[in-house]
Amino acid sequence: MLRARVALNPASVVAPVSRRTFGSFVEHMGRCVYTGIYEPGHPLADEDGFRTDVLALARELGVTMVRYPGGNFVSGYRWEDGIGPVADRPRRRDLAWRSIETNEVGIDEFAKWAEKADVEIMYAVNLGTRGVQEALDVHEYINHPEGTHLSELRRANGAEKPYGIKLWCLGNELDGPWQTGHKTPEEYGLLAAATARALRSAEPDLELVACGSSSSIMPTFGSWESTLLEHAYDLVDYVSCHAYYEEHDGDLGSFLASAVDMDHFVNSIVATADAVGARLKSKKKINLSFDEWNVWYLSRFQSAPLPKEWEVAPRVIEDQYNVADAVVVGSLLISLLRHSDRVTAACQAQLVNVIAPIMTEPGGPAWRQTIFHPFARTAALAKGDVLRLEIQSPVYATEKYGEAPVIDAVATHDPATGDVVVFAVNRDQERAVEFAVDLTAFGTDLTVAEAWTLTDDDVRAVNTKDDPERVTMQPLTGVALDGGAATLTLPRISWSAIRFTRA
Ligand code: AHR
């Protein structure tokens, strides 16, 4: 049996858990909006056309914040197409996903959905084909209280009160040549700074997210952030990070270690931002918004062309996730939580149908993919402070990342309840690992309140419409607690969550 160990200490705190870590993403892409969150005529649609089965699953998932309306989509989007009488709204080409946007859903409808789902909106403006003026216009429509042309238009459209959106993304992935309106770092830095300055004149306490790199393999990774922050350091609060992982050519070992890359990504951008801050003699710290992350079989998408015909809501990147994918998603959440001092917002991309934890059939059911489970458990259990851990773990060799730890973990401690929660991944493909967790610093009166694991003899098992509960969380057996010494037996290729509470 392999062995690993860690000692937890309530005084060793990284930062409080940010509720914004449990964000998601709704893009006008494929079937995320149409037949995803919105399907008038569906037997379970409410009076506004929203699927109540999807709303219930979004709440169960524990999503706290949703980025909207894109994504690559936003870089060609005219927000004003999506307001006013639905019958008058134009149908447009969406060049990003080669589909037809009907504009039946716009900001007024999405704000209604967000209220029902009880989530904060993170709103992205178009800095691909548009600029400062249009960003100001959409801000006026969304957040200006009353008495101006666009705020009165919102009121006339039925929203008397401003939406009060605080978190704004200054464009999307403008470092990527695939992006409509792709820019050089210099061009983007100047535009982001000008847009941020204008938005702040309208509403000084907005929280602004500048686009960082769309992956760590971009040729401009690091230099993009550095140039952009030279222009915008004092004007923005966050730099965004985007990362998608997949298993390449059956290399499961590297895939299971994807969080090593996420750690590297975060550490590199924190170092880059802090270096710019030092050059500018600024005391301010820029935080990271990891506002697109997930498992995505991107290489399959890249090898299959987008639909030839211009369709409304085509099936695009509807990846079906297996057990290994869910274990990786759980481990990426471990990485995000570990960095809670600097990653204070994050969005799993996306929420429904498009590389998503929730799937739907038009006119049919909605169900949970495997990746739903680690997200939902983490969002429900991670409370209070994130603890700093020094894990002693065996390592294994990976093709992509060199040596990776077999066991990775993060823990939270809620001073209000005394609960301690350990989230742990076992990346070994053959063996269970005995993980010794020293909790003596919390006293000796802790008991095991709940212990769950996601694992399966068949790591390729998936949930489908016809077998939606094939993969779920299972009770983790073999949790021993003696005084303050816990021993967890973590199955091979598994993600687990164990909550200890005061007796
Ligand atoms: O989430 C899918 C796409 O991935 C988004 O539209 C884009 O921002 C990223 O490349």
Side-chain angles (χ1 to χ4, degrees):
M1 167 92 72
L2 290 174
R3 290 196 162 74
R5 56 189 316 110
V6 71
L8 308 192
N9 188 327
S12 194
V13 171
V14 175
V17 175
S18 165
R19 295 319 298 169
R20 282 181 174 165
T21 305
F22 306 109
S24 187
F25 180 28
V26 167
E27 177 167 5
H28 282 250
M29 171 180 180
R31 298 193 307 115
C32 189
V33 172
Y34 305 110
T35 74
I37 64 167
Y38 177 80
E39 191 181 340
H42 187 279
L44 296 175
D46 67 11
E47 67 286 1
D48 294 313
F50 297 122
R51 286 185 62 149
T52 54
D53 51 351
V54 173
L55 270 169
L57 285 174
R59 285 193 213 101
E60 182 187 322
L61 187 61
V63 169
T64 53
M65 175 181 84
V66 176
R67 182 165 174 252
Y68 176 84
N72 294 347
F73 168 79
V74 83
S75 294
Y77 181 50
R78 302 176 226 209
W79 67 273
E80 64 276 21
D81 287 348
I83 60 169
V86 172
D88 298 345
R89 296 186 190 176
R91 287 162 75 91
R92 300 267 192 203
R93 292 178 310 185
D94 163 24
L95 299 183
W97 305 110
R98 211 188 148 76
S99 41
I100 295 294
E101 173 56 51
T102 62
N103 284 304
E104 279 164 80
V105 171
I107 182 58
D108 293 317
E109 288 77 20
F110 186 70
K112 267 194 198 143
W113 182 86
E115 197 180 340
K116 294 179 194 211
D118 192 21
V119 298
E120 177 183 4
I121 299 174
M122 175 189 217
Y123 191 84
V125 301
N126 173 0
L127 292 187
T129 58
R130 297 190 137 188
V132 180
Q133 183 58 58
E134 293 90 344
L136 282 172
D137 288 348
V138 69
H139 173 269
E140 181 185 330
Y141 186 85
I142 287 177
N143 273 8
H144 195 82
E146 60 186 331
T148 64
H149 173 63
L150 291 170
S151 58
E152 288 302 323
L153 191 54
R154 181 199 67 239
R155 284 158 56 88
N157 287 338
E160 203 192 311
K161 296 250 174 336
Y163 294 125
I165 296 177
K166 281 281 162 239
L167 198 52
W168 291 69
C169 300
L170 304 173
N172 178 70
E173 292 191 352
L174 288 149
D175 63 326
W178 58 86
Q179 200 70 209
T180 308
H182 163 59
K183 310 221 174 322
T184 66
E186 187 73 23
E187 287 166 345
Y188 178 68
L190 289 169
L191 180 57
T195 310
R197 198 173 287 111
L199 287 172
R200 284 210 189 286
S201 310
E203 192 176 344
D205 61 348
L206 293 178
E207 294 175 68
L208 301 179
V209 185
C211 294
S213 294
S214 37
S215 87
S216 62
I217 60 166
M218 293 303 288
T220 50
F221 180 68
S223 63
W224 171 273
E225 285 81 357
S226 184
T227 307
L228 136 74
L229 288 173
E230 293 285 350
H231 293 290
Y233 197 89
D234 288 331
L235 294 161
V236 302
D237 304 283
Y238 289 91
V239 169
S240 72
C241 308
H242 291 180
Y244 292 102
Y245 298 97
E246 68 181 299
E247 183 181 342
H248 286 282
D249 306 321
D251 180 6
L252 185 55
S254 296
F255 178 52
L256 290 168
S258 298
V260 170
D261 180 74
M262 187 179 250
D263 287 340
H264 165 75
F265 196 138
V266 170
N267 294 336
S268 307
I269 301 306
V270 165
T272 304
D274 288 353
V276 177
R279 276 205 295 283
L280 299 175
K281 302 193 177 11
S282 173
K283 293 213 166 53
K284 172 178 170 177
K285 289 275 184 244
I286 298 286
N287 282 333
L288 306 195
S289 168
F290 221 118
D291 48 42
E292 285 189 35
W293 69 269
N294 205 351
V295 171
W296 174 10
Y297 285 83
L298 183 57
S299 53
R300 286 183 208 153
F301 165 70
Q302 284 166 335
S303 55
L306 281 164
K308 262 213 166 88
E309 304 305 324
W310 293 86
E311 284 173 52
V312 175
R315 288 181 189 257
V316 185
I317 60 168
E318 299 200 358
D319 286 7
Q320 193 177 53
Y321 292 113
N322 63 31
V323 172
D325 299 327
V327 169
V328 169
V329 162
S331 73
L332 296 173
L333 283 160
I334 289 173
S335 171
L336 291 170
L337 279 173
R338 166 163 51 238
H339 294 288
S340 291
D341 52 340
R342 299 300 288 272
V343 180
T344 54
C347 304
Q348 188 184 36
Q350 298 188 5
L351 182 66
V352 192
N353 290 329
V354 176
I355 47 171
I358 301 169
M359 293 300 291
T360 67
E361 269 305 309
W367 67 99
R368 302 168 193 81
Q369 293 234 56
T370 60
I371 62 168
F372 183 99
H373 298 291
F375 189 110
R377 279 307 139 127
T378 309
L381 294 178
K383 303 224 170 90
D385 296 328
V386 179
L387 302 181
R388 198 175 302 284
L389 306 191
E390 290 293 340
I391 304 163
Q392 289 169 266
S393 165
V395 293
Y396 71 108
T398 71
E399 195 77 19
K400 281 176 98 169
Y401 309 117
E403 280 193 343
V406 171
I407 296 295
D408 195 10
V410 72
T412 56
H413 169 231
D414 186 354
T417 59
D419 284 6
V420 178
V421 184
V422 176
F423 303 93
V425 62
N426 176 5
R427 296 174 172 136
D428 196 276
Q429 294 182 43
E430 310 295 334
R431 291 160 294 181
V433 175
E434 200 177 274
F435 189 29
V437 182
D438 182 346
L439 297 162
T440 46
F442 297 88
T444 50
D445 62 340
L446 287 179
T447 58
V448 180
E450 53 187 311
W452 301 100
T453 193
L454 191 135
T455 191
D456 203 284
D457 287 345
D458 177 7
V459 294
R460 308 292 171 194
V462 296
N463 291 341
T464 60
K465 174 165 71 80
D466 298 323
D467 195 0
E469 303 286 322
R470 167 68 185 81
V471 180
T472 57
M473 297 299 296
Q474 303 293 328
L476 175 68
T477 53
V479 180
L481 183 59
D482 183 9
T487 310
L488 319 173
T489 305
L490 303 176
R492 66 147 205 155
I493 312 182
S494 65
W495 176 88
S496 306
I498 304 92
R499 180 166 69 91
F500 301 93
T501 196
R502 297 226 170 278

